[in-house]
Amino acid sequence: MNEEFGKENISEVKYLPGFYQLPSNVKISTTSLYKKGQIYGIDVSSGVAVGVLDVKPGDHCLDLCTAPGAKLSMMADLASPNQESLNGSATGIDISENRLNVCKNMLKKYKSPNVRLFLMDGRNFNEPPPSVWQGENKADYYKNLQNIESKKGGVMKPIYSTGRLYEGPHLLYDKVLVDVECTHDGSLKHILKYNEWGWETFENKFLQEERISSISQLQKELLENGFRMLKPGGTLVYSTCSLSKAQNEDVVSLFLEEEKCAKLLPIDVNHLPDESCLTAHISNKNDPLWGTVRFNPILHGTSGLFIAKITKIKETSSQIELEISNQSSSNSDENSHKRIKIES
């Protein structure tokens, strides 16, 4: 990287392993490292959102709002770091086909291991994580898939999948990222677009009460479903690139009040540039939302981002219902909605 960018332009992000910071005027898209898929650009605050998930090798990860795909690629690399033994997975969901195609191209470029993409509403996603076929014989692999198909009465495929994935015994995910659709008012690159679109458009999108109420409800429903898909003891991260309290603290606070098996986990300051990410918005350590994080463009030199880390402390009724539903589906020849990897 020193040759590509100049040693004087590169600085290591000490609180985020594997991340390096470049001046804003340095473009990575023209470099050979970028073209070869050896580096990619991602806002450091988004990297922190994945970092606090603490993805381990072998984890099954779910990203409910995945496009354009940099965070999903990072999760896949962490879940399956050893190409010789691919046992973790990353599943990405998005409702936009165009954005999901961008994500697919990114995953292909970076050869992200054991990834699936589904085109659907993240509020309705209920597919279990896959398993990884460990056999060496491709004929046996396809025979195994055919046996699953015959038992299930047909299967639906993800729109994109890598690795040798097939339906396995897991029902829920180890790590879930719910980086929800929001008003993007904390994203500098989005805000700058209103110089062209007009600031009246900005007011209509960000300042109307009905718009905020509608999107907050969507965010809460995505958070609820992400939690349903999380296994007990697993970790969920809820994040937005909005600075709006209604889309951040209010959504998380209401969710924690209603979901008694959810517990907020304080985010370790070692994952952050400094303690101001914790204290700038909530200074009282006795506050129920103490430990959530806000990145501020002025204080931290990043895009604005809110992050909350949540765990499931025991089985919930929604999880038990999901297990029953999955078991019933696997025993039925008529009803099947599971998706598995079919291509080589």
Side-chain angles (χ1 to χ4, degrees):
M1 290 204 304
N2 289 340
E3 293 180 6
E4 291 270 12
F5 302 112
K7 186 175 181 180
E8 69 280 3
N9 288 323
I10 302 173
S11 58
E12 185 177 0
V13 180
K14 294 182 179 180
Y15 56 89
L16 202 55
F19 274 64
Y20 297 86
Q21 192 169 13
L22 294 167
S24 58
N25 63 323
V26 175
K27 306 300 181 185
I28 68 171
S29 58
T30 59
T31 66
S32 61
L33 289 174
Y34 179 80
K35 292 176 180 178
K36 292 176 182 178
Q38 295 176 321
I39 62 172
Y40 56 81
I42 180 174
D43 195 279
V44 68
S45 58
S46 296
V48 170
V50 176
V52 299
L53 271 174
D54 195 24
V55 176
K56 302 294 187 185
D59 278 348
H60 291 290
C61 306
L62 174 63
D63 184 354
L64 271 190
C65 307
T66 196
K71 290 187 287 293
L72 182 68
S73 185
M74 182 177 171
M75 292 163 70
D77 289 341
L78 293 169
S80 298
N82 184 353
Q83 297 291 326
E84 300 299 320
S85 178
L86 303 174
N87 54 357
S89 71
T91 298
I93 318 301
D94 209 274
I95 199 170
S96 167
E97 185 171 7
N98 289 337
R99 285 170 55 81
L100 209 56
N101 283 331
V102 172
C103 183
K104 179 170 67 175
N105 291 335
M106 173 178 282
L107 297 174
K108 286 182 177 180
K109 175 181 178 180
Y110 292 105
K111 298 181 174 62
S112 298
N114 287 357
V115 178
R116 307 180 300 169
L117 293 178
F118 291 97
L119 176 62
M120 64 184 304
D121 190 330
R123 292 174 293 181
N124 302 323
F125 180 77
N126 66 349
E127 301 296 333
S131 286
V132 180
W133 178 252
Q134 301 291 349
E136 297 297 328
N137 190 315
K138 185 178 284 189
D140 289 343
Y141 168 60
Y142 279 105
K143 183 177 180 181
N144 182 68
L145 289 177
Q146 291 168 359
N147 289 338
I148 293 174
E149 287 189 56
S150 63
K151 290 177 182 178
K152 294 172 62 56
V155 291
M156 292 178 62
K157 295 191 297 181
I159 70 164
Y160 176 71
S161 182
T162 63
R164 298 176 296 177
L165 306 181
Y166 71 101
E167 185 187 61
H170 312 285
L171 292 175
L172 300 168
Y173 292 81
D174 301 286
K175 306 291 164 64
V176 177
L177 177 63
V178 188
D179 185 42
V180 292
E181 173 65 22
C182 66
T183 52
H184 304 292
D185 54 281
S187 171
L188 299 180
K189 67 178 182 180
H190 280 88
I191 293 294
L192 290 174
K193 292 178 181 178
Y194 288 94
N195 284 325
E196 301 176 10
W197 296 345
W199 290 99
E200 183 178 343
T201 306
F202 175 86
E203 292 181 7
N204 291 336
K205 186 170 184 179
F206 295 137
L207 303 182
Q208 287 188 353
E209 185 176 344
E210 291 182 2
R211 163 71 171 161
I212 299 298
S213 177
S214 174
I215 203 164
S216 296
Q217 181 61 31
L218 168 65
Q219 291 161 341
K220 181 171 178 290
E221 290 173 6
L222 285 164
L223 175 56
E224 289 170 343
N225 195 41
F227 189 76
R228 277 193 289 268
M229 300 305 297
L230 181 69
K231 77 175 189 181
T235 303
L236 178 148
V237 162
Y238 173 86
S239 61
T240 85
C241 60
S242 171
L243 301 176
S244 163
K245 183 173 178 289
Q247 298 175 64
N248 297 320
E249 289 89 349
D250 290 355
V251 170
V252 172
S253 180
L254 181 58
F255 169 75
L256 293 173
E257 287 178 11
E258 296 179 351
E259 182 50 77
K260 301 306 180 184
C261 294
K263 179 182 179 182
L264 187 71
L265 298 176
I267 294 174
D268 190 338
V269 71
N270 290 325
H271 288 297
L272 308 171
D274 56 55
E275 196 175 33
S276 66
C277 290
L278 292 167
T279 59
H281 65 302
I282 296 178
S283 57
N284 182 2
K285 291 190 177 183
N286 294 320
D287 191 294
L289 293 183
W290 167 256
T292 58
V293 161
R294 271 183 182 265
F295 280 85
N296 183 302
I298 297 175
L299 287 177
H300 307 118
T302 69
S303 286
L305 197 78
F306 171 85
I307 308 173
K309 183 178 180 180
I310 297 169
T311 190
K312 182 181 287 185
I313 57 178
K314 66 178 181 178
E315 287 190 347
T316 64
S317 59
S318 60
Q319 178 196 339
I320 296 170
E321 291 169 2
L322 177 65
E323 290 192 18
I324 294 172
S325 173
N326 278 310
Q327 290 168 0
S328 299
S329 178
S330 65
N331 293 328
S332 171
D333 290 331
E334 297 178 356
N335 179 23
S336 174
H337 62 277
K338 304 263 189 259
R339 297 169 169 84
I340 63 173
K341 168 72 172 64
I342 289 180
E343 30 182 281
S344 59

